[in-house]
Amino acid sequence: MAADFDINREMSKIEAPVISFEHVSKEYQKGIAAIEDINIRIYKGEFVFIVGNSGSGKSTLIRLMLKEILPSKGKVFVAGREIGRLRKFQVGKYRRSIGVVFQDFRLLKDRNVYDNVAFAQQVVEAPARLIKRQVPKMLSLVGLIDKAKSFPNELSGGQQQRVALARALVNNPVILLADEPTGNLDPKNSWEIMSLLEDINKRGTTVVVVTHNQEIVDRMQKRVITLKNGRVISDEEKGRYRYAKN
Amino acid sequence: MRKIRTLFYCLKQGFRGTWKNRVYSLASAGTITACLLLLGIFYFVIANFNHAVERAESLVGFTVFFDENTTEERILEIQEEIRLRSDVAEVIYISAEEAWENYKTDSLNEELSATFGSDNPLIDSASLEVSLNDVSRQKAVVGFVESIPDVRKVNHSDSIAESFEGIKTLLWVISIGLIVILMAVAIFLIRTTISTGINVRKEEISIMSIIGATDFFIRAPFVVEGAIIGILGSILPMGILYVMYGEIVRTIKEQFESVFTSMNFIDRTEIMHQFVPLALVFSLGLGIIASHMTAKRQIRKIELQH
């Protein structure tokens, strides 16, 4: 039987990159490519924006990294290991090393803030004492320790996204994927979330943010990968937002 | 420790899901109840029928007659030869004298008997009465006996054996047919129940999947739900059948005493001991298999949607 996939162990063997797309194409329907011949390398500790208009293939990249879908062509490597080759029983363990936040927060409405964060540890069968230690730590990190007993509908959009961030971070992921994390937030809350993501990145987590928010991208001066019609049209260190119209 | 915690989590979620989805859960359990009631009724009829056949089998047999001048020694030799077969229960030797005495007692009055004096008109009627372990083996045993040298004639009735087998087969076919139809209805309802539960928790399942929960962890609460439905569905019919069996047997014995005078029913405790494990395996198996298959398919769909 193949051994469980342990991303920390795998990463200790290699220097970089932590995420690598090699000539990756994905066709949902025959002949219609969502992404085509993508070559991207993201290194450990980087903060990367992926930008592009609707239908440019940004979400496909996220889904490929999560192994929700498989590429039609090419290979996706995470920590040096081709994730397409992961067996079904290894996928769960692999995903525990990747935190994800979404535009619509995806919180459980019938559970309070504490339980939403604890849920992420319960489902990976973490010991109760670890949950008791980790959840308050994460809630403090995102500044919501005083809202532990509140339910999602009692929180603002920004606060809900911070709960989602705490949930994504509670299992100590090596990579954090954020799919339009500020899409439903006002500018003030958007900046609070981005500043939290920056803090998380400074602690060593590789952060990949898919966004439409030009102001944030331009002001943060991070690496920017721009997609258009499923292809990478630019990849710049300390880049700016290039809105690539069709 | 981790496994125990996971087990408790799955059990808790299973009970929670059953309660949340109680209308569908009760409908599914109700169909299993109907299935088990039918299964129970047919099981009781067939078990009692088998019981009666077993009793009858010990009575059903055949008589073997021999050629003229066959010695008693030779007849006893043949008796031993037949007795050694595994499908033969008993072989009784009836000498010519005994046959005549029995005939006189059963069929002649004293006056008529006296006219024969010491003559034995059945001098060549020594016989062997053979009874069988299994009525379905009658044809084979008769064939064997007929092939033994010095055997003149074998008196037997195939129709009793054949009709017993025919009725048993008919009862099985009817019961299996009805149970298959009800099982299909039960599976359909369990699938609907589990699918509804999964749809209600769609968001939770997609989050669990992305966070890194194993397939087992996501699926197990729904299988627990199926098992609960199975157990719920089996409690009521077992109670009903327990009471009903006792009452029916008592009524038959009271009302139809003359017809069923020789009918011997299986004891209620004994028949329930046979039926309860069968019912539990049936209902739990149905609940677990149907819910497992549904959960597997529906959860895969949700994973692909997100």
Side-chain angles (χ1 to χ4, degrees), chain B residues 212-224:
Chain B
T214 59
D215 281 356
F216 169 82
F217 195 87
I218 300 175
R219 218 181 289 158
F222 298 105
V223 178
V224 169

Side-chain angles (χ1 to χ4, degrees), chain B residues 29 55 63 134 140 282:
Chain B
R55 269 172 62 84
T63 313
D134 178 0
F282 178 85

Side-chain angles (χ1 to χ4, degrees), chain B residues 14-23 25 225:
Chain B
F15 277 102
R16 201 174 136 219
T18 312
W19 178 247
K20 270 189 167 178
N21 228 347
R22 52 192 175 273
V23 176
S25 300
E225 212 176 312

Side-chain angles (χ1 to χ4, degrees), chain B residues 54-67:
Chain B
E54 272 168 28
R55 269 172 62 84
E57 277 173 352
S58 63
L59 303 173
V60 172
F62 56 84
T63 313
V64 185
F65 294 98
F66 302 91
D67 292 333

Side-chain angles (χ1 to χ4, degrees), chain A residues 219-237:
Chain A
R219 271 180 59 184
M220 283 187 76
Q221 294 281 296
K222 303 286 183 187
R223 181 178 168 194
V224 181
I225 297 169
T226 307
L227 294 179
K228 184 183 178 186
N229 295 335
R231 287 179 174 273
V232 175
I233 57 162
S234 74
D235 184 349
E236 300 169 316
E237 292 298 327

Side-chain angles (χ1 to χ4, degrees), chain B residues 178-193:
Chain B
L178 278 170
I179 289 161
V180 165
I181 293 169
L182 276 168
M183 265 174 73
V185 177
I187 289 171
F188 173 76
L189 277 172
I190 293 170
R191 283 177 60 170
T192 311
T193 309

